[in-house]
Amino acid sequence: MNRLFVVNKPIFVSSNNYMYYIKRKYKTKKVGFSGTLDPFATGCLIVATGTFTKLFQYLKKEPKVYRATMWLGVESKSLDLENIVSISDTKELNLEEIREVLEWAKQKHTYYPPKYSAKKIDGKKAYELARNGIEAKLKPITTDVYDIKLINYNHPFLTFEISVSEGGYIRSIAQIIADRLNVKATLSALHRISEGKFFYNNQEPLNPYDYLKIEKNIFLGDFKALELGKKLKLDDFKIKKDGIYLVESKNFNAIIEIYKKKVSYRLNRLPKEYKWRQNLMQK
């Protein structure tokens, strides 16, 4: 079964473990997801089964929009609810000051990912090293904060909605905001609302070709050659500049790459929209 859809990941379950439930529900072994959510986080998680698991890198998944709640006066090793080390009273903040700091946060930020994250260091996940007391040397990353707005402030809880580029860590950005406000804080809740045009809608099947970030090219040659995976020529395509393209044939779709006047397959014999819909209806 080939299917692309969005699940609403529940709290306190890892993204990987949630896939066991998806496999049982849809009675399929080949399941994948994109954009890992922390166990304490909930919300939009893009899931694919079958052949569509190969399409994740070609999907447009930003901006990513989250709703986050900071718990002021709390310190945590993992910057969330899982590894709290202290809770203390803290002064109430001025609303105008909060809005000013959130406005300031709308920029490009370079920072270190959380030590308790799935980032790999020499083949091991950072959180595995952190749990064993091993100091991990993470490389800094850069995240664009496109927009951020205050949703609610009921001391000591501050809730905001934030739109960021792919690969950002909201736990770390919350720490940047807390430092600017001169308070200690950790995230007490995190919900991903959407990724690009992806949002939760009762796991309704989606047409993956409506969500690609690559351009469509027109194939001018013999469709049989394309569908059989034969060698392709640059003259077979309407667009000849370097790039990665979606190409439609009579029975299948393909993703090809043009580089230095040479054409190569990235993916071939992808099911066309009407075929995978028929498959789902039969299921």
Side-chain angles (χ1 to χ4, degrees):
M1 181 179 69
N2 302 307
R3 185 185 182 106
L4 180 73
F5 55 102
V6 173
V7 301
N8 185 28
K9 189 192 83 66
I11 194 169
F12 296 138
V13 59
S14 71
S15 300
N16 273 316
N17 285 341
Y18 194 59
M19 291 305 103
Y20 292 113
Y21 163 75
I22 297 298
K23 287 178 181 179
R24 292 194 301 270
K25 179 176 180 178
Y26 291 101
K27 299 178 182 178
T28 181
K29 293 182 179 180
K30 194 170 184 179
V31 172
F33 66 90
S34 177
T36 302
L37 281 171
D38 296 324
F40 96 105
T42 64
C44 173
L45 189 66
I46 304 170
V47 175
T49 67
T51 303
F52 288 165
T53 56
K54 300 177 182 179
L55 291 174
F56 285 130
Q57 63 179 304
Y58 305 108
L59 299 175
K60 182 174 175 54
K61 296 171 286 184
E62 66 172 25
K64 294 178 182 281
V65 180
Y66 297 83
R67 180 166 290 195
T69 298
M70 294 168 58
W71 186 1
L72 307 183
V74 179
E75 286 186 281
S76 167
K77 289 182 180 180
S78 55
L79 312 182
D80 58 30
L81 289 175
E82 294 198 62
N83 293 274
I84 292 175
V85 294
S86 69
I87 301 175
S88 58
D89 291 332
T90 186
K91 65 177 182 178
E92 191 165 344
L93 301 175
N94 180 278
L95 275 175
E96 189 58 35
E97 180 185 10
I98 294 172
R99 292 192 177 98
E100 286 178 2
V101 170
L102 294 183
E103 184 63 28
W104 165 86
K106 289 194 289 187
Q107 59 173 292
K108 191 184 296 289
H109 295 279
T110 299
Y111 57 93
Y112 289 95
K115 293 180 181 179
Y116 286 80
S117 68
K119 281 280 185 183
K120 288 193 175 181
I121 304 170
D122 297 328
K124 293 186 177 180
K125 294 178 180 179
Y127 68 78
E128 293 174 344
L129 298 174
R131 286 171 181 170
N132 290 319
I134 301 172
E135 191 67 25
K137 292 184 178 179
L138 292 160
K139 295 180 180 179
I141 62 172
T142 299
T143 299
D144 286 304
V145 175
Y146 301 124
D147 194 18
I148 184 169
K149 59 184 178 181
L150 178 65
I151 300 299
N152 184 56
Y153 176 44
N154 185 11
H155 190 74
F157 298 103
L158 191 162
T159 300
F160 59 88
E161 191 171 294
I162 185 169
S163 172
V164 301
S165 56
E166 194 166 358
Y169 287 89
I170 308 304
R171 286 178 290 158
S172 294
I173 295 172
Q175 288 303 302
I176 293 172
I177 293 170
D179 289 343
R180 190 78 175 185
L181 289 168
N182 196 29
V183 296
K184 294 176 181 178
T186 193
L187 283 192
S188 62
L190 180 63
H191 179 78
R192 184 155 65 200
I193 298 170
S194 61
E195 298 184 72
K197 293 181 180 179
F198 291 95
F199 60 91
Y200 178 67
N201 185 27
N202 297 315
Q203 299 184 18
E204 285 295 314
L206 305 172
N207 180 1
Y209 307 113
D210 291 339
Y211 296 84
L212 297 180
K213 60 183 177 182
I214 58 177
E215 191 176 355
K216 185 182 292 186
N217 207 333
I218 304 298
F219 184 66
L220 305 173
D222 182 357
F223 283 123
K224 288 184 179 179
L226 179 66
E227 293 180 357
L228 292 174
K230 293 185 177 181
K231 188 174 181 179
L232 303 173
K233 299 177 182 179
L234 186 63
D235 289 340
D236 289 334
F237 297 90
K238 183 176 181 179
I239 301 173
K240 296 176 173 55
K241 65 181 180 180
D242 286 359
I244 299 172
Y245 302 95
L246 172 70
V247 180
E248 296 182 345
S249 68
K250 291 180 180 178
N251 299 303
F252 300 99
N253 289 338
I255 293 178
I256 59 100
E257 181 176 11
I258 297 175
Y259 181 66
K260 293 184 177 179
K261 298 183 179 181
K262 293 183 178 181
V263 184
S264 60
Y265 293 94
R266 284 290 193 94
L267 294 172
N268 198 13
R269 297 180 68 83
L270 294 167
K272 291 183 73 69
E273 192 270 347
Y274 74 90
K275 284 194 173 183
W276 68 259
R277 281 197 180 275
Q278 286 179 342
N279 188 19
L280 287 175
M281 290 174 66
Q282 291 171 0
K283 292 288 183 179

